[in-house]
Amino acid sequence: MTTDKTQPTAVRKAGATAPRTTLLRALTAAGGAAAVVSTFLAWTWTAEFPGDLTFYGYPGGLQLLTLVLGIATAVFALAALDLKGLRWLTPSGSTQALRLLALGTFAVTWFTVIAIAVDLDGLVNLEPGGWIAAVVTAVPVATTFLLPDDSRPLCRPKELPSWAEILIIAAVFAVGLYVVNYGIQTDADHPEPFLGFLIAVGFAAVALAKAGLIGRISELTSTYRSVTLVAALITAIVFPFFQDKSSFTELGVNIAIFATVALGLNIVVGLAGLLDLGYVAFLGVGAYTAALVSGSTASTIDVKFPFWAAVITGGVVSLIFGVVIGAPTLRLRGDYLAIVTLGFGEIFRLAMLNLDGTSGPSVTNGPDGIPNIPPLEIFGFNFNDDHSVGGLTLDSNGNYYLLMLLVTVLVVLIFSRAGNSRIGRAWVAIREDETAATAMGINGFRVKLIAFALGATLAGVAGAVWAHFQSTVVPEQYVFAGPVPPNSTFLVAAVILGGMGTIGGPLLGATLLYLIPKKLEFLQDYQLLAFGIALILLMRFRPEGIVPNRRQQLEYHETGQLDVPGATGLKDSAVGVTKAEA
Amino acid sequence: MTTTTTSPVLTATGVTMRFGGLTAVQSVDLDVHPGEIVGLIGPNGAGKTTFFNCLTGLYVPTEGSVAYQGTVLPPKPHLVTQAGIARTFQNIRLFANMTVLENVLVGRHTRTREGLWSALLRGPGFKRAEAASKTRAMELLEFTGLADKADHLSRNLPYGEQRKLEIARALASDPGLLLLDEPTAGMNPQETRATEELVFAIRDLGTAVLVIEHDMRFIFNLCDRVAVLVQGQKLVEGTSEVVQSDERVIAAYLGTPFEGAPGAEEAAEVEAAEAGAAPRATGGAAQDEAQRGTTARTEDGQ
Ligand SMILES: Nc1ncnc2c1ncn2[C@@H]1O[C@H](COP(=O)(O)OP(=O)(O)OP(=O)(O)O)[C@@H](O)[C@H]1O
Ligand SMILES: [Mg+2]
């Protein structure tokens, strides 16, 4: 079987490819195929293991991950063999991608097998299928590490008609939505499926980056910016319609809120370089303000603003706080701001606790907070009721999700427009070198205050929406560091992990940091430890964050042609993170 | 030289800068006239850079005042640049993670108005102003010979080009006076020649230049007038010939221990030798002006 496949290679690079290389690639393909076959066997005898891996004939649960990665390994190996029609898969070389895919297949399979043995107490619980899978997935690992490295700079893509390129973008988003859905819908009671999912996605993502496909996609998305934005928007809008459980949509709402707040913080931290360690307090200011004017029975102010007015009030009050905090501190250089904002965060929480009528004026009900915020109603559309859209129902969480999405879009728009303008350049200049920036005529204090106040306002707006979604606000939600987001540490970590100064970074960072502890309950007690480890590894291996910004990307391709950014760093960090999680 | 008949772009009067007990710059007076290239030389640690920092508002001079086209400048860097004095730095201070073009666009900051709102709303005015800024920035990159590197990160440029980019960035604010702090440090002879041409070209475009440099050939080729700073004090000021033949300058540069403070009379003598020394404000008046400048809260004004 393997020898048959060696024929096509000889066609293009007859002299270049050694027979040994060809053989190794063919073996890799065979190993991938064997892994695929093994997923059709039963790996264990009892359905007690999550996902039910007891069937012969079709794969299920964690086997699906082995299946997908096995197929990918086989297909990429065939691409490495120069099979016609598959060459586009490896624009910047195949070996590294193959190694990662083989490792990914191996890791997921062995994780599953070991998890079966551990969960069910003993290796006896493995059916022969499990043993076969464990053995065959080791083959591609061995062969790919014997392959010579064939990394090359990203070659020019073949010209495609623009409709095809747009279709590719659409397909990428569809796949992305599917992958995210898969992760979100994994069984929350068992950590195994989600852990397996993380391992698989981690390896696959790095492999695609190594193969040059991610570089290719980002080229496409930057060519068709508006198409990409529309595709992203549609993907985000349809998300709640695909959820069969309300709790999944709730995850979506929370992700949208925290991602939005992280993006707002990114203006302050990522663009202007101001370390704000009390950012969550601005979210709190917005939330409390909105709660006070919402007409809640527990509110000490007897008014009921319409929603839009409550949101604007939340934003404006946050803005005022931003200016009051920023004005005296932003004149100073360096770390004073970090200390002052850290203090402000704590003062806000303590003030909310003490404005209860006994320790201070009666405003916030102290630790009880302000419950019973009435459900939103905009133009007769009640957010707590189910609504049916074209045959699909949208529950309360879905309603709030779409509302929050609107805010996310607004913040994305503000971030990209402000960032890409005179004022945005001034922010970056200040971040890069404040002395030089002022010598270029930039009024440092003024532009920093604008960034700080804008960040505060956006957090206030998000807070106002969040208060309505939660229908209650309590002081303990707004801490510097804590087991549940939002807290300032979470937000800063999301920005740094994702990539400072980018739009995608904080969105991705917040999603990961929120979703992972949510899905892996056992991690929750160690969340801060995990944050710390993740950040240390990141700083060591990929200081620019998961999503490098365009400027840092340029660092890797000085000649102007697009290249895979962060070539070496990426592999290391992914491997490191996976190690930490496994 | 006929330049002295026009009113000076820069008038530094009695500029003194003390750091605790150390007097880095002591009562330095200097005028720069339109169309002039003036050199500022002196041994290491003489206070040249400190003097530049005083001129551009990075340091608030302990005493003395700086006026641009007759108007006393407040010691705030962004207002100095706004007024029309741009500078480069001895230890290159580019925005390392911004592209070459973006660096120059930042230099346009004082000559553009678009604030946050117009950036968010993206009206036609905003687009026009952005396009105009880009055109101007590209012109300057063309002028300095960096146009083909517009999209590179500035930190990836070779050293010589980084210095050029600093000049392009400074020119972006359309200055009437350009301060260059050792523009050829670290350059090879060809690059130094090119920089010389560049400085002449800048002068021909109507920008006066005040340049610090240790390369004497560069200075004496280029400058209409040279001032020598030693231990914070202006020792000699005059044409290249005058300065080159001054024994004290030779002594200072040869490293012969300099004995005695530079006599005020001697300095005055040299200056008197030149036709028409620039009028000087009295020390007291200068001090008052400096104080007014410091106390004025100008941060928020635009
Ligand atoms: N911020 C400061 N604080 C204390 N002392 C300073 C400061 N800046 C400069 N000095 C001192 O002032 C003196 C003059 O320094 P300056 O950098 O102006 O010299 P320079 O003429 O530019 O020398 P070079 O030719 O080496 O650049 C030095 O003794 C320096 O140590
Ligand atoms: Mg110096």
Side-chain angles (χ1 to χ4, degrees), chain A residues 331 417 420-422 425-426 429 432-433 435-436 438-443 445-446 550-551 554-555 558, chain B residues 77-78 81 93 95-97 99 102 105 109-110 112 114 119-120 122 130 152-153 155-156 169 299-300:
Chain A
R331 288 180 196 277
R417 291 194 159 184
N420 191 9
S421 71
R422 171 176 176 266
R425 287 190 294 269
E432 291 287 309
D433 185 335
T435 302
T438 54
M440 290 309 120
I442 293 169
N443 183 339
F445 170 69
R446 190 185 155 92
R550 188 180 52 86
R551 300 193 171 88
L554 277 169
E555 201 182 328
E558 274 116 77
Chain B
H78 66 274
T81 312
R93 300 191 81 143
F95 307 120
N97 290 315
T99 65
E102 283 172 329
L105 285 173
H109 191 88
T110 52
T112 42
E114 286 61 46
L120 294 183
R122 302 259 144 153
E130 273 298 274
H152 288 227
L153 279 191
R155 70 139 147 258
N156 290 336
R169 183 180 70 173
E299 289 278 35
D300 306 307

Side-chain angles (χ1 to χ4, degrees), chain B residues 74-141:
Chain B
K76 295 269 186 232
H78 66 274
L79 295 178
V80 171
T81 312
Q82 171 87 38
I85 300 182
R87 70 170 293 175
T88 66
F89 292 90
Q90 179 175 357
N91 47 341
I92 299 174
R93 300 191 81 143
L94 289 168
F95 307 120
N97 290 315
M98 295 177 95
T99 65
V100 167
L101 180 65
E102 283 172 329
N103 267 277
V104 183
L105 285 173
V106 171
R108 292 291 301 159
H109 191 88
T110 52
R111 301 298 171 241
T112 42
R113 289 267 68 86
E114 286 61 46
L116 183 63
W117 284 117
S118 77
L120 294 183
L121 300 175
R122 302 259 144 153
F126 175 85
K127 288 184 182 138
R128 227 175 300 123
E130 273 298 274
S133 286
K134 289 215 168 103
T135 315
R136 176 79 183 120
M138 282 313 293
E139 271 171 31
L140 286 167
L141 289 179

Side-chain angles (χ1 to χ4, degrees), chain B residues 19 22 24 42-51 59 90 181-182 214:
Chain B
F19 300 109
L22 175 83
N44 291 114
K48 306 180 294 296
T49 300
T50 306
F51 181 60
Y59 291 162
Q90 179 175 357
D181 198 343
E182 304 198 12
H214 284 297

Side-chain angles (χ1 to χ4, degrees), chain A residues 113-428:
Chain A
V113 166
I114 292 170
I116 290 173
V118 172
D119 284 7
L120 305 177
D121 276 329
L123 291 168
V124 288
N125 296 297
L126 286 175
E127 290 280 303
W131 292 106
I132 293 174
V135 173
V136 295
T137 52
V139 174
V141 176
T143 53
T144 49
F145 275 86
L146 292 171
L147 276 173
D149 195 355
D150 65 345
S151 297
R152 53 179 181 253
L154 202 62
C155 52
R156 278 289 121 205
K158 206 166 73 188
E159 284 294 320
L160 281 176
S162 52
W163 60 263
E165 301 193 316
I166 290 171
L167 267 185
I168 292 175
I169 295 177
V172 166
F173 275 97
V175 171
L177 177 63
Y178 181 82
V179 171
V180 170
N181 262 347
Y182 187 95
I184 284 192
Q185 296 185 352
T186 52
D187 190 351
D189 299 332
H190 303 283
E192 292 88 356
F194 190 74
L195 266 180
F197 169 78
L198 275 187
I199 296 173
V201 169
F203 276 104
V206 186
L208 293 183
K210 290 286 184 194
L213 284 178
I214 291 193
R216 178 65 42 84
I217 299 291
S218 58
E219 236 174 288
L220 281 183
T221 53
S222 60
T223 320
Y224 299 96
R225 279 200 51 151
S226 45
V227 172
T228 308
L229 289 178
V230 171
L233 197 59
I234 291 175
T235 314
I237 288 174
V238 300
F239 168 83
F241 296 104
F242 280 80
Q243 309 308 321
D244 44 14
K245 273 200 211 155
S246 187
S247 62
F248 296 149
T249 321
E250 193 187 340
L251 285 180
V253 188
N254 281 321
I255 288 175
I257 289 174
F258 301 141
T260 307
V261 179
L263 189 56
L265 176 62
N266 200 22
I267 294 179
V268 183
V269 175
L271 291 182
L274 306 167
L275 187 51
D276 184 344
L277 293 179
Y279 193 65
V280 80
F282 294 114
L283 184 77
V285 170
Y288 261 96
T289 309
L292 283 172
V293 300
S294 67
S296 154
T297 48
S299 167
T300 48
I301 306 178
D302 193 17
V303 288
K304 182 168 172 45
F305 281 19
F307 175 66
W308 60 267
V311 167
I312 292 179
T313 317
V316 168
V317 175
S318 237
L319 167 73
I320 293 169
F321 271 90
V323 172
V324 168
I325 304 296
T329 38
L330 289 170
R331 288 180 196 277
L332 307 170
R333 286 194 179 208
D335 307 327
Y336 297 102
L337 184 74
I339 294 163
V340 169
T341 50
L342 184 65
F344 169 64
E346 286 302 287
I347 290 169
F348 171 77
R349 185 174 63 86
L350 293 173
M352 293 304 108
L353 269 177
N354 288 308
L355 294 177
D356 58 356
T358 43
S359 316
S362 171
V363 183
T364 63
N365 300 331
D368 298 337
I370 304 172
N372 305 329
I373 298 171
L376 270 185
E377 197 164 319
I378 304 177
F379 302 125
F381 183 96
N382 189 311
F383 274 67
N384 277 27
D385 295 344
D386 287 2
H387 294 271
S388 147
V389 183
L392 296 160
T393 40
L394 203 57
D395 62 3
S396 151
N397 284 333
N399 298 329
Y400 280 105
Y401 172 82
L402 292 183
L403 176 67
M404 198 53 225
L405 197 59
L406 205 66
V407 181
T408 311
V409 170
L410 183 79
V411 176
V412 167
L413 212 63
I414 289 177
F415 185 96
S416 79
R417 291 194 159 184
N420 191 9
S421 71
R422 171 176 176 266
I423 189 94
R425 287 190 294 269
W427 287 336
V428 178

